[in-house]
Amino acid sequence: MAVTVTVQVPGPPGAAPRYDRHVAAGVDEPARVRHLADVLHGGSPETAEEVWRRHPGCAVLAVPGEDGSVHVRFRGGALTVHWEEPAVHGEHRAPDAAALAGSLVHALLATGGAIRR
């Protein structure tokens, strides 16, 4: 399912926060949806290069790794995100790690934040 995501990025001390709004979609969505997405997420490391090539309008691609990490590509770079999954409480599900990492990287890039590896 494609969603519109709004991320609030804290500003420097004394400054207002900045916002990034973008469309995120899974790589298994129909082509018409994927071509609208700023962020694509899902798939596998083996298919990432093909997905990236087929979607030149996509700004960020986030693919889950086998070890629980997320491999994130963006125009001009790449990084790997490592984190522990949050606990699931009752009916609340943990967010999809690839979707979350992709949206956070997009927000940092869109608001002028630095990506440090």
Side-chain angles (χ1 to χ4, degrees):
M1 167 175 63
V3 296
T4 301
V5 179
T6 302
V7 179
Q8 177 181 332
V9 179
R18 296 165 288 170
Y19 295 88
D20 170 50
R21 178 171 280 171
H22 59 270
V23 174
V27 298
D28 56 350
E29 292 291 330
R32 69 183 188 284
V33 174
R34 290 191 319 264
H35 288 295
L36 295 173
D38 304 299
V39 176
L40 287 171
H41 54 85
S44 68
E46 296 78 28
T47 61
E49 186 64 38
E50 180 67 13
V51 171
W52 191 242
R53 187 185 65 74
R54 287 180 178 240
H55 298 89
C58 173
V60 176
L61 171 63
V63 178
E66 291 183 18
D67 61 353
S69 63
V70 178
H71 306 287
V72 183
R73 291 183 73 166
F74 51 93
R75 303 296 168 187
L79 58 90
T80 300
V81 177
H82 301 274
W83 60 37
E84 293 183 28
E85 288 290 326
V88 178
H89 299 285
E91 295 180 21
H92 299 284
R93 288 185 332 122
D96 178 293
L100 182 59
S103 284
L104 291 174
V105 168
H106 188 280
L108 286 172
L109 293 170
T111 60
I115 302 286
R116 296 188 183 109
R117 292 169 227 199

